[in-house]
Amino acid sequence: MINRNEQCKACEGVGMLADDEGWQYRCPICGGEGTLPDEGSTAKVMSVDENNRLLD
Ligand SMILES: [Zn+2]
């Protein structure tokens, strides 16, 4: 099965990056997770905000 979370493009899902000298460090884009956070939760909050505006 493929992970539904979007793979981090910076580290290609590894969670680690390496500089030219081979030093490895945690990927700052995904925080070492290797995947990008799901955007579904934030979209849900925005739809609630729209409903509140309609009621006003
Ligand atoms: Zn990453």
Side-chain angles (χ1 to χ4, degrees):
M1 290 290 288
I2 298 174
N3 193 327
R4 294 191 64 152
N5 286 344
E6 189 176 354
Q7 188 180 61
C8 178
K9 293 178 178 61
C11 63
E12 297 180 332
V14 179
M16 298 286 289
L17 293 175
D19 65 14
D20 293 339
E21 296 181 350
W23 290 97
Q24 289 194 324
Y25 55 96
R26 183 159 50 178
C27 176
I29 307 301
C30 63
E33 293 293 325
T35 55
L36 298 176
D38 188 8
E39 295 181 6
S41 56
T42 53
K44 204 171 186 179
V45 172
M46 288 184 71
S47 65
V48 171
D49 188 52
E50 279 185 3
N51 289 337
N52 286 340
R53 214 179 289 172
L54 286 171
L55 289 170
D56 194 3

